[in-house]
Amino acid sequence: MKVGLAFASSIGIDGEAAVDICRRAEAAGFESVWGGEHVVLPDSIASKYPYTKDGRIPAEPDTPIPDPLIWLAFAAAAAPTLRLGTCILIVPQRNPLVLAKELATLDQLSGGRVELGLGVGWLKEEFDALGIAWDRRGARNDEYIAAMRALWSGPHAEFHGEFVDFEPATCSPRPVNGSIPVIVGGDSDAAIQRAVRIADGYFPGEGDAEQLAALLGRLRQAAEQADRDPQSIRISAIFGAQMANPEAGVEQMAALGVDRIMVPAFFFAGPGGLDRLSEFAEKVIPLARDC
């Protein structure tokens, strides 16, 4: 089982801090670092955040949320062995041709280390501020992924869909391995179906082991109904509640069939945080590698 450092960009805000956390994570044996995103946090939010009981996002208006792709480009140079992922990128908010170029460029510069963790968004007010339609964002997301994969597949690509339509064109550079792994985030039925249809991996937001087990059961059932091997969908899961007893948490996640535990970097924020990160890694990562 692999160990990723989730939301690392949210504690490695300035250049020095970003370099320090990436290099410490790499030396400690983490397999990957991940950055999340919100372009803006509107002052007035009626939308319900799906991962807290009260529906409120655990962030203040001025909480730094760096652009994940720019942050990961910085991380790529600082730590040349870490994989680089987004957890998550809100794909329907972006132009798919520009995004295809950005992801492929980062993948080329990093030697094929990029993974695209995506979501369709929960914050309608952010879409409104960006001037992007909220309705049918799921369908738009799926078509954007198809269009990007077409561009990555080779020169003279063309695509004709409802939301994206272009005649033969070439986008270069292209990903090192011909494409970029796609990981779908979210706990909804729509997210599960999307993971089965278009993704290489699934990243649920649920951290409770019992509820996570139910989610993964639904995923596997949906895959079987779609004649897809459930084992072909790699599972990344938040390692949050398990931090109270990390050793037992590793065994718990392994029993659920998790392929990568995602340790929130927030646990290592503040004074002495990087030392705590190294201590955690020394105890936990060898256990995870054995699972």
Side-chain angles (χ1 to χ4, degrees):
M1 190 161 54
K2 299 172 183 176
V3 183
L5 187 63
F7 314 115
S9 60
S10 293
I11 70 168
I13 304 302
D14 59 64
E16 183 178 358
V19 168
D20 286 347
I21 192 169
C22 289
R23 288 180 174 167
R24 185 69 73 97
E26 183 179 46
F30 281 83
E31 168 259 355
S32 53
V33 289
W34 302 73
E37 89 161 334
H38 278 292
V39 178
V40 293
L41 289 179
D43 286 359
S44 178
I45 297 176
S47 301
K48 301 299 183 184
Y49 182 68
Y51 305 115
T52 56
K53 291 182 179 179
D54 63 5
R56 298 182 63 182
I57 182 172
E60 298 299 323
D62 203 31
T63 296
I65 307 176
D67 179 278
L69 298 184
I70 292 177
W71 192 92
L72 289 169
F74 200 84
T81 67
L82 290 177
R83 292 193 65 76
L84 313 163
T86 55
C87 66
I88 49 76
L89 196 77
I90 308 170
V91 167
Q93 292 182 349
R94 299 194 173 225
N95 180 295
L97 279 71
V98 176
L99 181 57
K101 168 74 79 171
E102 292 172 334
L103 288 166
T105 299
L106 178 57
D107 195 66
Q108 275 285 341
L109 289 172
S110 65
R113 290 188 275 148
V114 175
E115 299 191 22
L116 172 59
L118 65 84
V120 302
W122 62 272
L123 183 50
K124 181 179 184 296
E125 292 84 354
E126 182 179 26
F127 278 73
D128 292 344
L130 291 168
I132 296 171
W134 172 255
D135 294 338
R136 304 199 66 227
R137 65 196 185 281
R140 195 162 64 252
N141 172 91
D142 297 357
E143 191 168 293
Y144 284 7
I145 296 299
M148 290 195 294
R149 283 172 166 165
L151 288 169
W152 292 335
S153 68
H156 318 300
E158 63 180 300
F159 190 91
H160 304 287
E162 179 182 356
F163 306 100
V164 187
D165 193 326
F166 56 86
E167 298 296 333
T170 299
C171 186
S172 183
R174 290 181 288 279
V176 170
N177 297 309
S179 192
I180 287 172
V182 169
I183 301 169
V184 167
D187 295 355
S188 67
D189 288 337
I192 288 173
Q193 294 295 331
R194 179 168 293 109
V196 169
R197 287 197 312 273
I198 71 168
D200 304 286
Y202 176 53
F203 178 36
E206 182 57 64
D208 176 80
E210 184 175 341
Q211 296 186 51
L212 177 61
L215 271 176
L216 297 183
R218 287 160 51 196
L219 175 77
R220 290 169 183 131
Q221 182 179 28
E224 289 168 357
Q225 290 173 346
D227 292 325
R228 179 172 179 182
D229 179 3
Q231 297 300 317
S232 70
I233 306 172
R234 311 300 287 176
I235 306 299
S236 299
I238 284 290
F239 197 80
Q242 294 78 12
M243 290 293 284
N245 186 345
E247 292 86 349
V250 166
E251 294 181 3
Q252 181 185 73
M253 289 296 196
L256 291 174
V258 171
D259 300 289
R260 175 194 284 131
I261 57 174
M262 300 281 277
V263 183
F266 307 118
F267 285 108
F268 310 114
L274 294 186
D275 290 336
R276 295 197 304 275
L277 181 149
S278 296
E279 292 166 4
F280 167 86
E282 185 177 354
K283 291 189 298 183
V284 174
I285 289 180
L287 297 175
R289 285 174 173 166
D290 289 340
C291 291

PDB file of all heavy atoms in Angstrom, residues 192 202 204 206-221 235 237 242 252-253 255-258:
ATOM      1  N   ILE A 192     -19.467   7.621  -8.063  1.00  0.00           N
ATOM      2  CA  ILE A 192     -19.157   6.195  -8.192  1.00  0.00           C
ATOM      3  C   ILE A 192     -19.344   5.737  -9.634  1.00  0.00           C
ATOM      4  O   ILE A 192     -18.479   5.056 -10.207  1.00  0.00           O
ATOM      5  CB  ILE A 192     -20.035   5.376  -7.227  1.00  0.00           C
ATOM      6  CG1 ILE A 192     -19.552   5.598  -5.787  1.00  0.00           C
ATOM      7  CG2 ILE A 192     -20.005   3.891  -7.579  1.00  0.00           C
ATOM      8  CD1 ILE A 192     -20.453   4.983  -4.740  1.00  0.00           C
ATOM      9  N   TYR A 202     -10.300   5.821  -7.775  1.00  0.00           N
ATOM     10  CA  TYR A 202     -11.413   6.429  -7.042  1.00  0.00           C
ATOM     11  C   TYR A 202     -10.889   6.940  -5.712  1.00  0.00           C
ATOM     12  O   TYR A 202     -10.122   6.263  -5.025  1.00  0.00           O
ATOM     13  CB  TYR A 202     -12.518   5.398  -6.834  1.00  0.00           C
ATOM     14  CG  TYR A 202     -13.691   5.872  -6.009  1.00  0.00           C
ATOM     15  CD1 TYR A 202     -14.377   7.044  -6.327  1.00  0.00           C
ATOM     16  CD2 TYR A 202     -14.123   5.135  -4.901  1.00  0.00           C
ATOM     17  CE1 TYR A 202     -15.453   7.474  -5.563  1.00  0.00           C
ATOM     18  CE2 TYR A 202     -15.219   5.554  -4.130  1.00  0.00           C
ATOM     19  CZ  TYR A 202     -15.871   6.727  -4.475  1.00  0.00           C
ATOM     20  OH  TYR A 202     -16.938   7.143  -3.725  1.00  0.00           O
ATOM     21  N   PRO A 204     -12.682   8.480  -2.514  1.00  0.00           N
ATOM     22  CA  PRO A 204     -13.823   8.942  -1.728  1.00  0.00           C
ATOM     23  C   PRO A 204     -13.397   9.932  -0.660  1.00  0.00           C
ATOM     24  O   PRO A 204     -12.256   9.909  -0.186  1.00  0.00           O
ATOM     25  CB  PRO A 204     -14.368   7.648  -1.108  1.00  0.00           C
ATOM     26  CG  PRO A 204     -13.195   6.736  -1.055  1.00  0.00           C
ATOM     27  CD  PRO A 204     -12.334   7.084  -2.241  1.00  0.00           C
ATOM     28  N   GLU A 206     -14.984  10.113   2.266  1.00  0.00           N
ATOM     29  CA  GLU A 206     -15.356   9.530   3.553  1.00  0.00           C
ATOM     30  C   GLU A 206     -14.154   8.904   4.250  1.00  0.00           C
ATOM     31  O   GLU A 206     -13.407   8.142   3.646  1.00  0.00           O
ATOM     32  CB  GLU A 206     -16.439   8.469   3.338  1.00  0.00           C
ATOM     33  CG  GLU A 206     -16.946   7.818   4.597  1.00  0.00           C
ATOM     34  CD  GLU A 206     -17.500   8.809   5.601  1.00  0.00           C
ATOM     35  OE1 GLU A 206     -18.513   9.463   5.270  1.00  0.00           O
ATOM     36  OE2 GLU A 206     -16.909   8.932   6.684  1.00  0.00           O
ATOM     37  N   GLY A 207     -13.977   9.233   5.540  1.00  0.00           N
ATOM     38  CA  GLY A 207     -12.868   8.679   6.289  1.00  0.00           C
ATOM     39  C   GLY A 207     -13.265   7.623   7.300  1.00  0.00           C
ATOM     40  O   GLY A 207     -12.416   6.857   7.761  1.00  0.00           O
ATOM     41  N   ASP A 208     -14.550   7.582   7.675  1.00  0.00           N
ATOM     42  CA  ASP A 208     -15.018   6.572   8.618  1.00  0.00           C
ATOM     43  C   ASP A 208     -14.946   5.195   7.976  1.00  0.00           C
ATOM     44  O   ASP A 208     -15.437   4.984   6.855  1.00  0.00           O
ATOM     45  CB  ASP A 208     -16.456   6.884   9.027  1.00  0.00           C
ATOM     46  CG  ASP A 208     -17.052   5.822   9.922  1.00  0.00           C
ATOM     47  OD1 ASP A 208     -16.750   5.842  11.123  1.00  0.00           O
ATOM     48  OD2 ASP A 208     -17.799   4.962   9.402  1.00  0.00           O
ATOM     49  N   ALA A 209     -14.342   4.247   8.669  1.00  0.00           N
ATOM     50  CA  ALA A 209     -14.069   2.935   8.069  1.00  0.00           C
ATOM     51  C   ALA A 209     -15.348   2.212   7.664  1.00  0.00           C
ATOM     52  O   ALA A 209     -15.412   1.598   6.591  1.00  0.00           O
ATOM     53  CB  ALA A 209     -13.256   2.083   9.032  1.00  0.00           C
ATOM     54  N   GLU A 210     -16.364   2.270   8.499  1.00  0.00           N
ATOM     55  CA  GLU A 210     -17.602   1.556   8.188  1.00  0.00           C
ATOM     56  C   GLU A 210     -18.278   2.147   6.957  1.00  0.00           C
ATOM     57  O   GLU A 210     -18.720   1.414   6.060  1.00  0.00           O
ATOM     58  CB  GLU A 210     -18.542   1.609   9.391  1.00  0.00           C
ATOM     59  CG  GLU A 210     -19.816   0.802   9.206  1.00  0.00           C
ATOM     60  CD  GLU A 210     -20.668   0.768  10.456  1.00  0.00           C
ATOM     61  OE1 GLU A 210     -20.133   1.051  11.555  1.00  0.00           O
ATOM     62  OE2 GLU A 210     -21.872   0.450  10.350  1.00  0.00           O
ATOM     63  N   GLN A 211     -18.349   3.474   6.903  1.00  0.00           N
ATOM     64  CA  GLN A 211     -18.978   4.113   5.753  1.00  0.00           C
ATOM     65  C   GLN A 211     -18.117   3.975   4.502  1.00  0.00           C
ATOM     66  O   GLN A 211     -18.640   3.847   3.389  1.00  0.00           O
ATOM     67  CB  GLN A 211     -19.266   5.577   6.061  1.00  0.00           C
ATOM     68  CG  GLN A 211     -20.282   5.754   7.180  1.00  0.00           C
ATOM     69  CD  GLN A 211     -20.686   7.200   7.386  1.00  0.00           C
ATOM     70  OE1 GLN A 211     -21.050   7.890   6.443  1.00  0.00           O
ATOM     71  NE2 GLN A 211     -20.621   7.654   8.630  1.00  0.00           N
ATOM     72  N   LEU A 212     -16.804   4.001   4.688  1.00  0.00           N
ATOM     73  CA  LEU A 212     -15.911   3.784   3.557  1.00  0.00           C
ATOM     74  C   LEU A 212     -16.106   2.390   2.978  1.00  0.00           C
ATOM     75  O   LEU A 212     -16.143   2.205   1.752  1.00  0.00           O
ATOM     76  CB  LEU A 212     -14.456   3.987   3.981  1.00  0.00           C
ATOM     77  CG  LEU A 212     -13.386   3.727   2.912  1.00  0.00           C
ATOM     78  CD1 LEU A 212     -13.557   4.651   1.715  1.00  0.00           C
ATOM     79  CD2 LEU A 212     -11.985   3.877   3.515  1.00  0.00           C
ATOM     80  N   ALA A 213     -16.233   1.405   3.829  1.00  0.00           N
ATOM     81  CA  ALA A 213     -16.466   0.039   3.359  1.00  0.00           C
ATOM     82  C   ALA A 213     -17.740  -0.047   2.536  1.00  0.00           C
ATOM     83  O   ALA A 213     -17.781  -0.725   1.497  1.00  0.00           O
ATOM     84  CB  ALA A 213     -16.539  -0.911   4.549  1.00  0.00           C
ATOM     85  N   ALA A 214     -18.781   0.663   2.977  1.00  0.00           N
ATOM     86  CA  ALA A 214     -20.033   0.658   2.220  1.00  0.00           C
ATOM     87  C   ALA A 214     -19.858   1.320   0.862  1.00  0.00           C
ATOM     88  O   ALA A 214     -20.368   0.832  -0.160  1.00  0.00           O
ATOM     89  CB  ALA A 214     -21.121   1.357   3.030  1.00  0.00           C
ATOM     90  N   LEU A 215     -19.132   2.428   0.831  1.00  0.00           N
ATOM     91  CA  LEU A 215     -18.874   3.117  -0.441  1.00  0.00           C
ATOM     92  C   LEU A 215     -18.116   2.211  -1.410  1.00  0.00           C
ATOM     93  O   LEU A 215     -18.463   2.120  -2.595  1.00  0.00           O
ATOM     94  CB  LEU A 215     -18.050   4.384  -0.194  1.00  0.00           C
ATOM     95  CG  LEU A 215     -18.775   5.688   0.100  1.00  0.00           C
ATOM     96  CD1 LEU A 215     -17.762   6.769   0.404  1.00  0.00           C
ATOM     97  CD2 LEU A 215     -19.647   6.103  -1.071  1.00  0.00           C
ATOM     98  N   LEU A 216     -17.089   1.565  -0.917  1.00  0.00           N
ATOM     99  CA  LEU A 216     -16.285   0.704  -1.788  1.00  0.00           C
ATOM    100  C   LEU A 216     -17.081  -0.514  -2.241  1.00  0.00           C
ATOM    101  O   LEU A 216     -16.882  -1.002  -3.368  1.00  0.00           O
ATOM    102  CB  LEU A 216     -15.004   0.285  -1.068  1.00  0.00           C
ATOM    103  CG  LEU A 216     -14.055   1.437  -0.693  1.00  0.00           C
ATOM    104  CD1 LEU A 216     -12.785   0.911  -0.060  1.00  0.00           C
ATOM    105  CD2 LEU A 216     -13.716   2.292  -1.915  1.00  0.00           C
ATOM    106  N   GLY A 217     -17.988  -0.970  -1.404  1.00  0.00           N
ATOM    107  CA  GLY A 217     -18.873  -2.049  -1.836  1.00  0.00           C
ATOM    108  C   GLY A 217     -19.774  -1.609  -2.977  1.00  0.00           C
ATOM    109  O   GLY A 217     -19.984  -2.355  -3.949  1.00  0.00           O
ATOM    110  N   ARG A 218     -20.289  -0.400  -2.875  1.00  0.00           N
ATOM    111  CA  ARG A 218     -21.110   0.144  -3.968  1.00  0.00           C
ATOM    112  C   ARG A 218     -20.292   0.308  -5.239  1.00  0.00           C
ATOM    113  O   ARG A 218     -20.780   0.036  -6.344  1.00  0.00           O
ATOM    114  CB  ARG A 218     -21.713   1.481  -3.548  1.00  0.00           C
ATOM    115  CG  ARG A 218     -22.848   1.350  -2.529  1.00  0.00           C
ATOM    116  CD  ARG A 218     -23.096   2.647  -1.781  1.00  0.00           C
ATOM    117  NE  ARG A 218     -23.266   3.787  -2.678  1.00  0.00           N
ATOM    118  CZ  ARG A 218     -23.179   5.052  -2.281  1.00  0.00           C
ATOM    119  NH1 ARG A 218     -22.886   5.348  -1.022  1.00  0.00           N
ATOM    120  NH2 ARG A 218     -23.359   6.036  -3.140  1.00  0.00           N
ATOM    121  N   LEU A 219     -19.053   0.755  -5.094  1.00  0.00           N
ATOM    122  CA  LEU A 219     -18.187   0.908  -6.261  1.00  0.00           C
ATOM    123  C   LEU A 219     -17.958  -0.430  -6.954  1.00  0.00           C
ATOM    124  O   LEU A 219     -18.072  -0.536  -8.186  1.00  0.00           O
ATOM    125  CB  LEU A 219     -16.847   1.516  -5.836  1.00  0.00           C
ATOM    126  CG  LEU A 219     -15.791   1.624  -6.941  1.00  0.00           C
ATOM    127  CD1 LEU A 219     -16.096   2.798  -7.865  1.00  0.00           C
ATOM    128  CD2 LEU A 219     -14.390   1.766  -6.353  1.00  0.00           C
ATOM    129  N   ARG A 220     -17.648  -1.439  -6.172  1.00  0.00           N
ATOM    130  CA  ARG A 220     -17.362  -2.751  -6.762  1.00  0.00           C
ATOM    131  C   ARG A 220     -18.608  -3.351  -7.415  1.00  0.00           C
ATOM    132  O   ARG A 220     -18.522  -3.959  -8.482  1.00  0.00           O
ATOM    133  CB  ARG A 220     -16.788  -3.671  -5.690  1.00  0.00           C
ATOM    134  CG  ARG A 220     -15.376  -3.236  -5.274  1.00  0.00           C
ATOM    135  CD  ARG A 220     -14.862  -3.939  -4.042  1.00  0.00           C
ATOM    136  NE  ARG A 220     -13.543  -3.406  -3.686  1.00  0.00           N
ATOM    137  CZ  ARG A 220     -13.195  -3.007  -2.475  1.00  0.00           C
ATOM    138  NH1 ARG A 220     -14.064  -3.094  -1.468  1.00  0.00           N
ATOM    139  NH2 ARG A 220     -11.989  -2.517  -2.234  1.00  0.00           N
ATOM    140  N   GLN A 221     -19.752  -3.137  -6.794  1.00  0.00           N
ATOM    141  CA  GLN A 221     -20.997  -3.620  -7.393  1.00  0.00           C
ATOM    142  C   GLN A 221     -21.270  -2.905  -8.711  1.00  0.00           C
ATOM    143  O   GLN A 221     -21.654  -3.536  -9.704  1.00  0.00           O
ATOM    144  CB  GLN A 221     -22.152  -3.404  -6.428  1.00  0.00           C
ATOM    145  CG  GLN A 221     -23.491  -3.926  -6.948  1.00  0.00           C
ATOM    146  CD  GLN A 221     -24.609  -3.716  -5.949  1.00  0.00           C
ATOM    147  OE1 GLN A 221     -24.582  -2.794  -5.146  1.00  0.00           O
ATOM    148  NE2 GLN A 221     -25.606  -4.585  -5.992  1.00  0.00           N
ATOM    149  N   ILE A 235      -7.834   2.388  -5.439  1.00  0.00           N
ATOM    150  CA  ILE A 235      -8.507   3.128  -4.381  1.00  0.00           C
ATOM    151  C   ILE A 235      -7.497   3.941  -3.570  1.00  0.00           C
ATOM    152  O   ILE A 235      -6.537   3.396  -3.012  1.00  0.00           O
ATOM    153  CB  ILE A 235      -9.260   2.180  -3.425  1.00  0.00           C
ATOM    154  CG1 ILE A 235     -10.210   1.261  -4.204  1.00  0.00           C
ATOM    155  CG2 ILE A 235     -10.006   2.986  -2.367  1.00  0.00           C
ATOM    156  CD1 ILE A 235     -11.273   1.975  -4.983  1.00  0.00           C
ATOM    157  N   ALA A 237      -7.623   6.559  -0.260  1.00  0.00           N
ATOM    158  CA  ALA A 237      -8.571   6.874   0.803  1.00  0.00           C
ATOM    159  C   ALA A 237      -7.932   7.747   1.871  1.00  0.00           C
ATOM    160  O   ALA A 237      -6.755   7.576   2.215  1.00  0.00           O
ATOM    161  CB  ALA A 237      -9.104   5.587   1.440  1.00  0.00           C
ATOM    162  N   GLN A 242      -7.950   7.552  11.343  1.00  0.00           N
ATOM    163  CA  GLN A 242      -6.985   6.496  11.663  1.00  0.00           C
ATOM    164  C   GLN A 242      -5.714   7.040  12.322  1.00  0.00           C
ATOM    165  O   GLN A 242      -4.918   6.268  12.854  1.00  0.00           O
ATOM    166  CB  GLN A 242      -6.620   5.719  10.402  1.00  0.00           C
ATOM    167  CG  GLN A 242      -7.762   4.927   9.789  1.00  0.00           C
ATOM    168  CD  GLN A 242      -8.733   5.773   9.001  1.00  0.00           C
ATOM    169  OE1 GLN A 242      -8.479   6.939   8.703  1.00  0.00           O
ATOM    170  NE2 GLN A 242      -9.864   5.190   8.637  1.00  0.00           N
ATOM    171  N   GLN A 252      -6.508  -1.671   8.937  1.00  0.00           N
ATOM    172  CA  GLN A 252      -7.909  -1.446   8.597  1.00  0.00           C
ATOM    173  C   GLN A 252      -8.065  -1.099   7.127  1.00  0.00           C
ATOM    174  O   GLN A 252      -8.922  -1.656   6.417  1.00  0.00           O
ATOM    175  CB  GLN A 252      -8.450  -0.315   9.478  1.00  0.00           C
ATOM    176  CG  GLN A 252      -9.907   0.037   9.283  1.00  0.00           C
ATOM    177  CD  GLN A 252     -10.273   1.245  10.131  1.00  0.00           C
ATOM    178  OE1 GLN A 252      -9.885   2.360   9.834  1.00  0.00           O
ATOM    179  NE2 GLN A 252     -11.018   0.992  11.209  1.00  0.00           N
ATOM    180  N   MET A 253      -7.234  -0.187   6.634  1.00  0.00           N
ATOM    181  CA  MET A 253      -7.323   0.230   5.240  1.00  0.00           C
ATOM    182  C   MET A 253      -6.939  -0.910   4.299  1.00  0.00           C
ATOM    183  O   MET A 253      -7.550  -1.084   3.239  1.00  0.00           O
ATOM    184  CB  MET A 253      -6.423   1.447   4.997  1.00  0.00           C
ATOM    185  CG  MET A 253      -6.929   2.731   5.626  1.00  0.00           C
ATOM    186  SD  MET A 253      -8.494   3.258   4.918  1.00  0.00           S
ATOM    187  CE  MET A 253      -8.577   4.964   5.456  1.00  0.00           C
ATOM    188  N   ALA A 255      -7.374  -4.051   4.824  1.00  0.00           N
ATOM    189  CA  ALA A 255      -8.483  -5.003   4.812  1.00  0.00           C
ATOM    190  C   ALA A 255      -9.617  -4.536   3.917  1.00  0.00           C
ATOM    191  O   ALA A 255     -10.366  -5.358   3.363  1.00  0.00           O
ATOM    192  CB  ALA A 255      -8.989  -5.219   6.236  1.00  0.00           C
ATOM    193  N   LEU A 256      -9.750  -3.214   3.754  1.00  0.00           N
ATOM    194  CA  LEU A 256     -10.793  -2.664   2.897  1.00  0.00           C
ATOM    195  C   LEU A 256     -10.385  -2.659   1.417  1.00  0.00           C
ATOM    196  O   LEU A 256     -11.199  -2.316   0.562  1.00  0.00           O
ATOM    197  CB  LEU A 256     -11.122  -1.230   3.333  1.00  0.00           C
ATOM    198  CG  LEU A 256     -11.833  -1.082   4.689  1.00  0.00           C
ATOM    199  CD1 LEU A 256     -11.964   0.383   5.061  1.00  0.00           C
ATOM    200  CD2 LEU A 256     -13.201  -1.745   4.644  1.00  0.00           C
ATOM    201  N   GLY A 257      -9.144  -3.017   1.129  1.00  0.00           N
ATOM    202  CA  GLY A 257      -8.686  -3.042  -0.255  1.00  0.00           C
ATOM    203  C   GLY A 257      -8.178  -1.723  -0.763  1.00  0.00           C
ATOM    204  O   GLY A 257      -8.122  -1.496  -1.983  1.00  0.00           O
ATOM    205  N   VAL A 258      -7.773  -0.841   0.147  1.00  0.00           N
ATOM    206  CA  VAL A 258      -7.240   0.467  -0.248  1.00  0.00           C
ATOM    207  C   VAL A 258      -5.834   0.301  -0.807  1.00  0.00           C
ATOM    208  O   VAL A 258      -5.011  -0.433  -0.254  1.00  0.00           O
ATOM    209  CB  VAL A 258      -7.248   1.426   0.964  1.00  0.00           C
ATOM    210  CG1 VAL A 258      -6.499   2.716   0.646  1.00  0.00           C
ATOM    211  CG2 VAL A 258      -8.684   1.720   1.391  1.00  0.00           C
TER     212      VAL A 258
END
